[in-house]
Amino acid sequence: MSLCKQIPNFLKKNQGTLLKHLFLLCLISICSVFVANALSLEASPSDADSSLAEKVFEKYQTFLLREDIQALLPTILEEIIKPANQKLLSSETINLVVDNPDLLKTFVPDIEDEFITLLKEDEEIQTFLRDADVQALLQNPEAINELAALIEMSQQPLLDRIFGRYQEFFQRQDIMQLLPNVLAQFKNPENQALLQPNTLTLAVENPDHLKEVLPQINDAFIILLKEDTEVKALINDPDFQQLLQDPAAIDELAALLNINVIVRIVPASVESPKVGEQLVITVDIANGFNVAGYQGIVQFDSTALRYVSLTHGTYLSGQVIPVATKATENQVSFAQTAIDTTASTAEDTLVTITFDVLEAKASMLTLSGVIIGGFGGTSFPVTIENVEILEPSKPWDVNGDGFVNILDLTFVASFFGKEDAPPEADVNGDGSVNILDLTLVASHFGE
């Protein structure tokens, strides 16, 4: 019979207080089989500020999260927290059973000999049961509930755990400004091999070491790492250290925090100018902290637009290396990089592009191949926003009912030659209502 099946049978057969006591100790021992291997972990320097549940969870986290105990541990904790069982718990009784495991066999004959042998011979289990923090937690319902909550939170996706734990911290203005650079440095493929958990832990103790490993990381972050306990806690967090080993997860965090560099075409939506006129758009940047270079491609509908010119803005300053603009029938590429200083502002215009309108119709302007980089070959996660060119309005549908018919003609005719005519009657927008407006409506009659 398995241990899980023995426990309900034991409850049914033994109602006395002493037997309940021994049953509870059996439950505790079962729990210990799975978590005791973490015994060798020493309490961290932050233990003084940690709750009892946090201390126990930190010591035994790896084992508490093992798949084979996830189905057992919640039930065990629920049993332990019951008031009737709480009365039976004491450090003395726990230690007594650890000293003489055969006591369990005396009162629970069906218990497996293997479990008794394990309790006799496994020093990790014995030491775990004598852990003062564990014994104190098992006698504290609030601490048990907190431990259960920590376990539940730890089962959430890695990114959700980190965001939930540090949400307020991530919203700090100084952190919002520094994170794009810091995450970009961590994401750099050349740096990934250098950023193992032991390196990050060492960096908390000696932030200057991190500067040696990542020379391009922002100095302001190194200062915070020396002085700010919240920054230290973040870099010391095993979950965050794990996330930093995955470039895709870094991008997901940046997107979740809305600290991606935003590159957008402006305006976001525009009505197509008339044939023969020009359309002028800009490619703008936002959240662009510590940027040293950019590149991208704007694609357009060659049946609607024809590329005319591109000019760079003043976003990058200092000594800038010019990169030739390349234009084809349906796209134009651009790039620029500075070699001595990063951009002094987070928001500005990268380039201004001018097109001739060949046909006034609906189309799209889309960005692709966008890279926003910092010194040292780092690239920032980017969010792209494109532009929709709308089909021009139909002024000949004067009453706006979706049809061009006799109602539109009679409306224009009623204001023929009048100076106080409404704008709708001046179909071609030349300032007067005359035969040109009537013929324009008539040319679209029936549409």
Side-chain angles (χ1 to χ4, degrees):
M1 183 184 296
S2 68
L3 290 179
C4 291
K5 293 180 178 179
Q6 290 174 19
I7 291 173
N9 290 337
F10 174 70
L11 282 172
K12 293 177 181 179
K13 296 178 181 179
N14 302 276
Q15 301 296 325
T17 300
L18 181 58
L19 293 184
K20 289 182 180 179
H21 192 173
L22 292 173
F23 163 63
L24 191 55
L25 291 176
C26 183
L27 286 177
I28 297 170
S29 299
I30 293 170
C31 179
S32 71
V33 170
F34 300 104
V35 300
N37 289 331
L39 176 69
S40 58
L41 296 177
E42 296 181 356
S44 67
S46 61
D47 276 354
D49 300 324
S50 301
S51 68
L52 181 59
E54 289 171 336
K55 292 178 182 178
V56 171
F57 185 73
E58 183 177 354
K59 287 182 184 180
Y60 306 107
Q61 177 178 1
T62 302
F63 301 95
L64 288 169
L65 299 181
R66 273 174 41 179
E67 184 176 351
D68 56 350
I69 71 169
Q70 286 301 306
L72 291 175
L73 191 56
T75 302
I76 293 173
L77 293 179
E78 287 178 6
E79 289 295 331
I80 292 173
I81 204 171
K82 291 180 179 179
N85 293 334
Q86 279 288 302
K87 296 177 182 179
L88 306 175
L89 286 173
S90 72
S91 298
E92 292 78 8
T93 309
I94 295 173
N95 292 332
L96 178 63
V97 171
V98 174
D99 291 337
N100 188 3
D102 286 327
L103 286 175
L104 286 176
K105 191 68 173 179
T106 301
F107 294 99
V108 190
D110 291 335
I111 196 168
E112 294 179 358
D113 293 336
E114 181 182 358
F115 179 76
I116 299 295
T117 301
L118 193 61
L119 190 55
K120 287 180 178 180
E121 299 177 355
D122 194 316
E123 293 183 0
E124 290 183 327
I125 295 177
Q126 297 167 10
T127 307
F128 169 75
L129 288 175
R130 297 187 192 279
D131 187 316
D133 285 338
V134 173
Q135 292 180 355
L137 180 138
L138 295 175
Q139 301 171 58
N140 185 334
E142 291 184 1
I144 294 174
N145 283 332
E146 185 180 352
L147 179 62
L150 290 172
I151 294 172
E152 181 180 359
M153 180 178 293
S154 67
Q155 293 175 297
Q156 297 176 347
L158 179 64
L159 186 60
D160 291 347
R161 297 202 303 269
I162 293 172
F163 183 72
R165 199 174 300 157
Y166 298 104
Q167 184 172 4
E168 293 184 6
F169 168 77
F170 286 140
Q171 292 174 348
R172 281 174 40 179
Q173 187 63 33
D174 56 342
I175 299 302
M176 291 287 287
Q177 292 183 1
L178 290 174
L179 272 181
N181 170 266
V182 173
L183 294 180
Q185 292 293 328
F186 288 153
K187 179 188 171 186
N188 189 332
E190 295 182 0
N191 297 335
Q192 278 286 299
L194 306 174
L195 295 172
Q196 299 303 312
N198 59 340
T199 305
L200 295 169
T201 301
L202 180 61
V204 175
E205 300 173 1
N206 181 13
D208 289 327
H209 175 68
L210 184 61
K211 185 67 175 179
E212 294 173 2
V213 175
L214 306 178
Q216 301 299 334
I217 200 165
N218 196 296
D219 290 336
F221 180 77
I222 299 298
I223 294 174
L224 280 179
L225 189 55
K226 290 180 178 179
E227 302 173 353
D228 194 307
T229 56
E230 288 185 310
V231 176
K232 291 177 181 289
L234 176 70
I235 301 301
N236 235 353
D237 189 318
D239 281 342
F240 190 68
Q241 292 177 354
Q242 179 182 343
L243 178 138
L244 293 180
Q245 310 304 308
D246 184 352
I250 294 175
D251 284 346
E252 290 179 10
L253 177 62
L256 184 62
L257 299 178
N258 196 29
I259 60 173
N260 281 7
V261 176
I262 299 172
V263 179
R264 59 166 66 99
I265 299 177
V266 177
S269 179
V270 59
E271 185 177 299
S272 173
K274 298 177 181 178
V275 174
E277 296 182 349
Q278 291 188 326
L279 172 67
V280 179
I281 59 96
T282 63
V283 178
D284 292 358
I285 188 170
N287 287 349
F289 298 98
N290 305 300
V291 172
Y294 59 84
Q295 73 176 56
I297 299 171
V298 174
Q299 296 174 309
F300 56 91
D301 183 347
S302 60
T303 65
L305 302 173
R306 180 176 57 231
Y307 166 74
V308 176
S309 64
L310 180 147
T311 58
H312 288 270
T314 58
Y315 174 65
L316 295 181
S317 57
Q319 188 174 354
V320 177
I321 298 178
V323 179
T325 300
K326 297 181 180 180
T328 64
E329 182 182 6
N330 66 345
Q331 68 180 37
V332 54
S333 62
F334 57 90
Q336 193 174 73
T337 184
I339 62 174
D340 58 350
T341 184
T342 58
S344 58
T345 180
E347 298 185 15
D348 208 338
T349 292
L350 300 181
V351 296
T352 299
I353 307 177
T354 301
F355 300 94
D356 283 335
V357 177
L358 303 180
E359 182 180 349
K361 64 176 184 178
S363 64
M364 291 290 297
L365 288 174
T366 59
L367 281 163
S368 63
V370 176
I371 299 177
I372 303 298
F375 287 135
T378 59
S379 63
F380 300 109
V382 176
T383 297
I384 291 173
E385 297 179 8
N386 297 313
V387 60
E388 180 181 11
I389 300 175
L390 304 176
E391 185 177 354
S393 59
K394 300 177 179 179
W396 42 86
D397 179 15
V398 179
N399 63 2
D401 64 358
F403 303 96
V404 182
N405 52 30
I406 193 63
L407 298 178
D408 301 293
L409 278 174
T410 55
F411 181 87
V412 174
S414 65
F415 292 99
F416 194 92
K418 295 183 179 179
E419 296 182 357
D420 60 348
E424 294 83 2
D426 182 12
V427 180
N428 65 359
D430 64 357
S432 61
V433 179
N434 52 35
I435 192 61
L436 297 179
D437 301 294
L438 283 172
T439 56
L440 186 56
V441 174
S443 66
H444 293 277
F445 196 89
E447 292 183 3

